[in-house]
Amino acid sequence: MVERKPAKGAKKAAARRVAARPRKTASKSQPRKAAKPVLLAGGNPQIAKADGDAPVQVYIAAMPGWKRDVGRRLDALIVRTVPGVGKGVKWNSPFYGVEGQGWFLDFHCFTKYVKVAFFRGTSLRPVPPGESKDKEVRYLDIHEDDQLDEAQFAAWVTQASQLPGWQA
């Protein structure tokens, strides 16, 4: 019996037919595990830029350790102080603002603290303690064992929400 070799193009055609077959994927009835957000330097969650409460809640849920409780507390205080506050995640930080006015604050995780930025902080009374390279921005750093003065924080949030905000 004589063995015949396939034509030159036959192997390539067979490979294309195999490659063209659809891959099996997980069925739609099987839930997919949500990917856990990557933590950047200082434990800051990497969350895709998006508007709304949902991405902010994903960010807060991904904050490591004691910082998660700080994030929940800050979010609750801001929502309670400014009903209808706008939210979003930009540059891996939750932002808070007022429709038509812009963003008035954000917060960000660092290794040993959570930094709250008031974008028009020099206009607040009293002025928040942390200085910035930006002449208008002021910061409040919250460390693990700090006692947050909720009344003062709410007063700053109220004042900040009434000022023209930062346009991103």
Side-chain angles (χ1 to χ4, degrees), residues 38-46 59 62-65 67 108-112:
V38 172
L39 295 181
L40 302 170
N44 194 55
Q46 183 178 29
Y59 177 96
M63 292 171 75
K67 296 171 193 171
H108 192 88
C109 289
F110 286 89
T111 302
K112 297 185 179 191

Side-chain angles (χ1 to χ4, degrees), residues 10-117:
K11 284 184 181 178
K12 288 182 182 177
R16 281 193 298 266
R17 283 192 301 274
V18 169
R21 290 184 189 143
R23 290 183 173 177
K24 287 188 176 183
T25 59
S27 72
K28 292 182 181 179
S29 63
Q30 293 175 339
R32 290 184 181 205
K33 277 189 173 178
K36 210 172 184 184
V38 172
L39 295 181
L40 302 170
N44 194 55
Q46 183 178 29
I47 304 296
K49 180 179 176 180
D51 290 326
D53 181 57
V56 170
Q57 296 310 318
V58 169
Y59 177 96
I60 292 169
M63 292 171 75
W66 63 269
K67 296 171 193 171
R68 184 176 311 117
D69 291 333
V70 170
R72 286 185 188 128
R73 195 166 167 201
L74 292 174
D75 184 69
L77 282 166
I78 295 164
V79 168
R80 189 169 57 237
T81 304
V82 184
V85 68
K87 299 181 187 183
V89 172
K90 298 177 184 311
W91 302 284
N92 298 310
S93 296
F95 278 64
Y96 295 82
V98 175
E99 182 76 32
Q101 283 181 227
W103 305 106
F104 60 85
L105 75 78
D106 79 340
F107 60 85
H108 192 88
C109 289
F110 286 89
T111 302
K112 297 185 179 191
Y113 58 95
V114 174
K115 182 179 283 295
V116 179

